[in-house]
Amino acid sequence: MKAYNIKRAALCVALGTCLGIMLPTTAMAQNVSGAVAGRATAGDQITVVNAGTGLTRTVTVGVDGSYRLGQLPVGDYRLQLSRDGQTLGEQVAVSVAVGGTTTVNLASGGGVTNLDALQVVGTRVINRVDVYSTETSFNINRQEISRLPVAQDLSAVALMAPGVVGGNSSFGGLSFAGSSVAENAVFINGLNVTDMYTRRGFSTAPFAFFNEFQVKTGGYSVEFGRSTGGVINAVTRSGSNEFKGGVEVTAEPSAGRSSGGDHFHRDGTPHSYGSRDNNSFLKTNVWGSGPIIKDKLFLFAMYEDRNDRGHNTSSDGSTWFKNKSGNGFWGTKLDWNINDNHSLALLAFSDEGDVTNASYAYAWDDNRLGDWGGDSITETGGKNWSATYTGHFGQNFTARAMVGQNNQRAFTNSSLDQACSPVFTDSTYGTRLSKLQGLRAGCHPTGTAVAERDDTRDVARLDFEWQLGDHLLRFGVDRELMTTDQTTRYPGPTALSYTAYVARPGDEVWDGANAYV
């Protein structure tokens, strides 16, 4: 009986191990690359060449007639079949997408076939059904989305995937298949850029900085930890052997926008004013790419200046707000093909920005500005970087190592912080002295505490992929160290707050002193 139990336990362990290595997931390290796989004649050589950088990878077809070229940078390739040093058939154009496996099956003569041995005639072979993965995902590249009438940001891309909806007005964010808006993760070139404090936002970059997007809504693998909702996986653009550059200017003048409306209650009293609000937007984007060393070292760089200006009134029409924002984004990607088996990629970008909101007293009926009430300045964003090494050791073993850092800042302050202490009021301030009603106590525009927060995420991870015949074994380890540095204080020279109230004659005011008329 004891021997039987030992045999049964050994069988369970063996089955569990086999099932683990037979899982058909095919990407690793946040799926920043793709693969080409299929069937051909055993012993033949399959070679793919990147059309932009000249990167070349070759693999020998296994005895079972299958082959796989993993960890290929996203892009367009030319595939060639060779036998005994002689090329067979014509080159096949293959597109490698982020996180996916493109299937190309080759006949003995080098022609493209399907599993039924029917010849397919064409210059571009893409299997839209990824038979190597069980995850539910949506892929789209920059060229495809440029032809669609959607907003140019990551959230708009994610909303194109089935099951993704926008969050409610209170929390914002995105909901994947009914999950909360705080259960998602966003990656740029494998670097986790999710807001670590609120979990609702993420570090941003101009839409033109990206090359391809993948939205995972379910069934994704274990390396996408720390998320139970969905994943937005974006890959940035890279340089190639061809020098390229461009300038794009986007203008949205206030004259081209529709006007808001004023809303009133049934008795004619105003509910909210909006007819005098306006906003204008100007964006200038400059980018360039090309080889530093042909076939070896490539650079992509971008700078974008964004300016948003406008004004609006408070709902009661008593305050006029002037706002302006600035964001001088910069980003760069450096790719070094050390040789065909080893490569290094460096990414750095900054999404630092600020918004200034100035308030003024305002008389709606006379359309006249009054005294300045101070400025409120909000600072966001931060500098981010990552370094990724990819090595192919033989035909069946691949290793990838990445280190990086994600920084985000949240700081709202006022130009009157140093001069004005916060003054709060109790109920007696307005009820006991009617002439004070509508007046703001103190000179600080908000009267709230000044909070400054800097969040830092340090990332390190190792990923390995080992092809064992028909099976693919993937394993790795990652570590994220998240640090928050936050300070909170009252504005003003003393960092103290005060309360204003109106006392009746005879009331005790402070330490035995009485109020009198």
Side-chain angles (χ1 to χ4, degrees):
M1 187 67 179
K2 183 179 296 185
Y4 172 75
N5 290 335
I6 293 175
K7 291 181 179 179
R8 185 172 61 178
L11 178 61
C12 292
V13 171
L15 287 174
T17 304
C18 291
L19 290 174
I21 65 176
M22 291 175 63
L23 290 176
T25 48
T26 60
M28 69 175 195
Q30 269 60 57
N31 287 3
V32 298
S33 57
V36 176
R39 301 190 66 82
T41 302
D44 288 352
Q45 289 77 43
I46 308 295
T47 301
V48 293
V49 180
N50 189 292
T53 65
L55 175 69
T56 302
R57 290 282 314 284
T58 300
V59 67
T60 300
V61 181
V63 294
D64 60 349
S66 65
Y67 73 91
R68 184 174 186 275
L69 291 147
Q71 297 304 309
L72 295 174
V74 173
D76 295 325
Y77 290 79
R78 299 186 303 272
L79 184 148
Q80 179 68 62
L81 175 68
S82 301
R83 181 178 301 156
D84 299 327
Q86 301 295 321
T87 59
L88 299 177
E90 299 293 330
Q91 291 185 344
V92 179
V94 180
S95 180
V96 175
V98 57
T101 299
T102 303
T103 301
V104 181
N105 299 300
L106 301 168
S108 59
V112 179
T113 70
N114 61 16
L115 293 178
D116 296 324
L118 297 177
Q119 186 176 15
V120 177
V121 179
T123 60
R124 187 178 181 89
V125 178
I126 300 178
N127 190 342
R128 291 295 182 182
V129 179
D130 187 354
V131 297
Y132 292 88
S133 176
T134 57
E135 68 182 19
T136 305
S137 62
F138 168 79
N139 281 59
I140 191 168
N141 60 39
R142 186 171 54 90
Q143 291 78 13
E144 292 170 335
I145 204 170
S146 65
R147 298 189 291 266
L148 301 176
V150 297
Q152 295 188 350
D153 58 66
L154 287 181
S155 296
V157 173
L159 288 171
M160 298 175 64
V164 182
V165 297
N168 58 44
S169 58
S170 299
F171 293 100
L174 298 169
S175 174
F176 289 70
S179 63
S180 81
V181 297
E183 297 179 82
N184 310 317
V186 180
F187 297 89
I188 297 178
N189 283 17
L191 178 66
N192 190 348
V193 297
T194 313
D195 188 327
M196 68 189 75
Y197 195 83
T198 67
R199 297 288 306 179
R200 299 195 304 271
F202 46 85
S203 299
T204 59
F207 191 78
F209 192 61
F210 296 106
N211 182 49
E212 191 165 332
F213 311 89
Q214 183 184 50
V215 182
K216 299 176 182 289
T217 56
Y220 47 87
S221 188
V222 66
E223 70 259 52
F224 290 93
R226 305 178 182 89
S227 64
T228 55
V231 172
I232 302 176
N233 187 28
V235 176
T236 64
R237 297 166 68 180
S238 299
S240 65
N241 279 324
E242 182 180 357
F243 287 102
K244 298 179 181 180
V247 178
E248 180 182 6
V249 178
T250 303
E252 299 178 4
S254 58
R257 297 176 181 266
S258 59
S259 301
D262 301 327
H263 302 276
F264 300 88
H265 296 288
R266 290 184 177 180
D267 60 2
T269 57
H271 176 266
S272 62
Y273 293 103
S275 59
R276 296 173 188 172
D277 300 349
N278 72 21
N279 187 76
S280 62
F281 174 71
L282 178 64
K283 178 183 72 175
T284 304
N285 184 292
V286 182
W287 65 273
S289 67
I292 299 176
I293 302 175
K294 187 177 181 181
D295 292 337
K296 287 292 184 181
L297 191 60
F298 309 92
L299 176 68
F300 177 87
M302 173 178 289
Y303 178 79
E304 181 173 285
D305 182 70
R306 302 170 61 95
N307 285 284
D308 201 334
R309 297 175 181 269
H311 63 258
N312 62 284
T313 56
S314 59
S315 59
D316 60 0
S318 64
T319 308
W320 182 277
F321 299 101
K322 287 185 178 181
N323 52 75
K324 63 178 180 179
S325 64
N327 186 344
F329 172 89
W330 62 262
T332 184
K333 174 82 181 304
L334 187 67
D335 294 278
W336 180 21
N337 292 337
I338 304 171
N339 54 45
D340 289 337
N341 292 320
H342 303 276
S343 63
L344 181 66
L346 304 177
L347 170 72
F349 69 92
S350 170
D351 63 343
E352 294 175 325
D354 60 80
V355 177
T356 301
N357 199 342
S359 63
Y360 298 83
Y362 182 64
W364 176 268
D365 294 336
D366 300 331
N367 192 20
R368 178 173 52 85
L369 287 180
D371 295 334
W372 172 62
D375 293 343
S376 175
I377 303 100
T378 301
E379 300 177 14
T380 59
K383 294 181 176 65
N384 309 272
W385 65 270
S386 69
T388 305
Y389 162 79
T390 303
H392 301 273
F393 301 91
Q395 295 188 141
N396 301 322
F397 191 81
T398 303
R400 170 167 289 182
M402 187 197 77
V403 293
Q405 188 177 88
N406 168 234
N407 293 280
Q408 298 177 17
R409 178 172 173 81
F411 182 32
T412 300
N413 60 98
S414 170
S415 56
L416 297 177
D417 281 349
Q418 297 301 318
C420 298
S421 298
V423 180
F424 303 100
T425 63
D426 71 353
S427 59
T428 64
Y429 192 79
T431 59
R432 294 188 179 180
L433 200 60
S434 60
K435 67 180 181 180
L436 295 179
Q437 292 180 3
L439 297 181
R440 185 180 64 205
C443 62
H444 197 273
T446 63
T448 57
V450 179
E452 182 176 3
R453 191 183 76 246
D454 290 284
D455 301 325
T456 301
R457 173 190 283 112
D458 293 294
V459 180
R461 64 179 298 130
L462 288 170
D463 296 270
F464 303 95
E465 183 177 290
W466 191 7
Q467 186 78 31
L468 299 172
D470 291 337
H471 310 300
L472 181 65
L473 175 64
R474 299 168 56 245
F475 55 96
V477 61
D478 76 337
R479 178 178 184 268
E480 290 190 2
L481 175 63
M482 292 176 283
T483 306
T484 294
D485 184 5
Q486 180 170 335
T487 59
T488 304
R489 60 176 176 82
Y490 283 120
T494 60
L496 299 175
S497 65
Y498 302 87
T499 301
Y501 65 94
V502 178
R504 294 189 180 95
D507 288 350
E508 182 177 347
V509 178
W510 183 262
D511 198 19
N514 296 327
Y516 65 92
V517 178

